[in-house]
């Protein structure tokens, strides 16, 4: 089987789950497309561009299928994930070459679906589940070097933002039992993984209802200026409890999480407090704003105003000094005026994010915007606004990163730099890429002889220059996460 992943980190995690299931059924994995008997694409539906990439890829695979020697079994092609969920009929009919279609909740069914495909029939399962979390399947890690890993803590989303397809492709929100998450993180720690990112569409609304005694816990309240389209749910162990437990497993393992929703932070002071207190929880937060205009935020059904969002940013910066902030923005949403756009530009200037993900809006069927609103911002206007946002973001991020020049940053080494074999690349606590020369280094704890840093090592690097995307520096010494925290 040959697996190819498109889209978000959830899809990286899903690829590992699908592979774990297939491995148990006797499949072997290949990195060479020509060796494959089965090609599975784990797909994304968030934007039209992501789907177009898959349609183009299918044309390439169609040719590959046609060229296959008769002596070999026919090549089977499967579409997995969000696009399978959204476009099942079209995929099966438009491209007769697709043999298997499996939605995000039907990976357990893959061995059966592939067996049906072996007999020459098309097979599909896109049933969404209210309780599937794949809690009992320990994903087989596929990330490079095995230094970092993603751990999925929940699936689906209940927020129903008007632009978003996720609730329709990934179903309703459900959380994985804490015990199974801790088991997976312990296993990763034993394998030498040094950084784990807890993943969910909305991680900070996590609720583990698997144990009876926690089912009557009161629902947390939302703070001033935040609202939600669904009733706050009672019961369950919350995200702060999970974060507390995960961070205790291995003091040498960094913990990150994504993506939280701004509305689920205010009452969770304990989450911000934990980030501030624990040396191994990264001082970095993803706070997806989407727009800087209250009017557009209301049309998007985000549940907060510009003012409430900025108040949250101030609260976060007061609670976690030196925090690194990242965000998502959509430009050209239905009805967005030039004034709305300028408000987003000014929000980028005011907050000054370290990392940003910016996109032009593309209308998705099934969403509330598709039913109720008009995609009325012309494509060329979206393009111009997106370019303006990117330029503003880069200018501000370059300024924010420049403030780190002269400082020592603790970097987790991921491997050689893409551009030069004589340099290493890793990330600092704020999730910013840091590049430095690969040279002999002393060991701060003097536990090891001087030597070159390896993937998974922590290196103290003095920053010498910065751009909007990257820091460069000179390595000072190898050290440990605990030691670096103690001397900070």
């Amino acid at each position: 089987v040959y697996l190819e992943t498109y889209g978000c980190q959830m899809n990286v995690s899903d690829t590992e789950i699908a592979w774990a299931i297939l491995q148990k059924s006797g499949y072997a994995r290949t990195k060479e497309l020509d060796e494959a008997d089965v090609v599975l694409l784990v797909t994304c539906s968030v934007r039209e561009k992501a789907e177009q990439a898959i349609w183009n890829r299918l044309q390439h695979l169609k040719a590959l299928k046609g060229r296959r020697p008769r002596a070999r079994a026919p090549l089977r092609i499967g579409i997995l994930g969000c696009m399978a969920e959204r476009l099942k009929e079209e995929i099966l009919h438009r491209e007769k070459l697709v043999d298997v279609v499996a939605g995000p909740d039907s990976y357990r069914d893959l061995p059966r679906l592939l067996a049906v495909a072996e007999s020459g029939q098309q097979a599909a399962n896109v049933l969404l589940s209210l309780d599937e979390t794949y809690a009992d399947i320990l994903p087989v890690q596929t990330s490079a070097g095995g230094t970092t890993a993603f751990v999925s803590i929940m699936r689906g989303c209940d927020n129903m933002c008007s632009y978003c397809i996720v609730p329709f492709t990934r179903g309703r929100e459900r959380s994985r039992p804490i015990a199974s998450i801790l088991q997976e993180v312990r296993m990763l720690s034993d394998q030498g993984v040094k950084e784990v990112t807890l993943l969910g569409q909305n991680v900070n609304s996590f609720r583990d209802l698997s144990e009876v005694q926690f089912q009557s816990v009161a629902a947390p309240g939302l703070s001033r200026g935040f609202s939600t389209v669904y009733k706050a749910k009672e019961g369950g162990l919350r995200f702060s409890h999970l974060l507390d437990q995960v961070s205790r497993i291995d003091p040498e393992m960094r913990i990150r999480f994504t993506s939280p929703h701004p509305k689920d932070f205010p009452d969770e002071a304990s989450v911000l407090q934990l980030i501030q207190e624990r040396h191994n929880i990264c001082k970095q937060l993803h706070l997806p704003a989407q727009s800087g205009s209250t009017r557009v935020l209301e049309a998007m059904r985000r549940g907060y105003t510009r003012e409430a969002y900025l108040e949250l940013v101030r609260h976060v910066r007061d609670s976690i000094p030196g925090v690194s902030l990242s965000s998502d923005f959509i430009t050209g949403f239905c009805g967005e005026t030039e004034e709305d756009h300028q408000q987003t530009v000014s929000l980028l200037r005011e907050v000054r994010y370290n990392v940003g993900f910016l996109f032009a809006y593309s209308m998705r069927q099934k969403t509330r915007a598709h039913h109720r609103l008009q995609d009325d911002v012309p494509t060329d206007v979206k393009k111009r606004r997106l370019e303006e946002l990117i330029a503003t973001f880069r200018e501000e991020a370059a300024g924010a990163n420049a403030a780190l020049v002269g400082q020592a940053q603790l970097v987790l080494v991921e491997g050689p730099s893409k551009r030069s074999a004589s340099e290493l690349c890793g990330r600092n606590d704020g999730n910013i890429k840091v590049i430095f020369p690969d040279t002999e280094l002393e060991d701060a704890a003097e536990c090891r002889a001087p030597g070159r840093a390896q993937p998974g090592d922590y290196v103290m690097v003095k920053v010498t220059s910065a751009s909007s995307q990257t820091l460069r520096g000179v390595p000072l010494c190898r050290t440990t996460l605990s030691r670096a925290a103690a001397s900070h």
Side-chain angles (χ1 to χ4, degrees), residues 134-148:
Y134 299 109
D136 57 321
I137 293 171
L138 289 176
V140 180
Q141 290 304 317
T142 54
S143 55
T147 300
T148 63

Side-chain angles (χ1 to χ4, degrees), residues 232-282:
K233 304 181 195 74
E234 294 191 0
L237 287 174
R238 300 276 160 182
F239 182 62
S240 55
H241 181 88
L242 172 68
L243 194 58
D244 171 44
Q245 295 289 308
V246 167
S247 68
R248 289 171 189 270
I249 288 174
D250 180 350
E252 288 301 310
M253 181 192 262
R254 271 182 179 170
I255 309 298
R256 300 186 189 277
F257 57 88
T258 198
S259 202
H261 191 295
K263 75 171 170 46
D264 294 315
F265 265 116
D267 198 56
E268 282 279 10
S270 48
V271 169
L272 300 179
Q273 202 178 330
L274 273 171
I275 297 172
Q276 196 264 317
E277 284 172 7
R278 298 280 157 90
H279 75 271
N280 63 335
I281 303 179
C282 292

Side-chain angles (χ1 to χ4, degrees), residues 317-335:
R317 287 200 158 133
D318 288 346
S319 309
I320 311 164
V323 68
S324 164
L325 294 181
S326 58
S327 193
D328 300 333
F329 286 92
I330 295 170
T331 188
F333 185 64
C334 310

Side-chain angles (χ1 to χ4, degrees), residues 44-59:
C44 170
S45 254
V46 168
R47 285 173 296 281
E48 209 169 320
K49 198 174 167 186
E51 289 186 352
Q52 198 46 56
I54 301 295
W55 291 122
N56 297 343
R57 186 64 170 147
L58 284 174
Q59 289 311 313

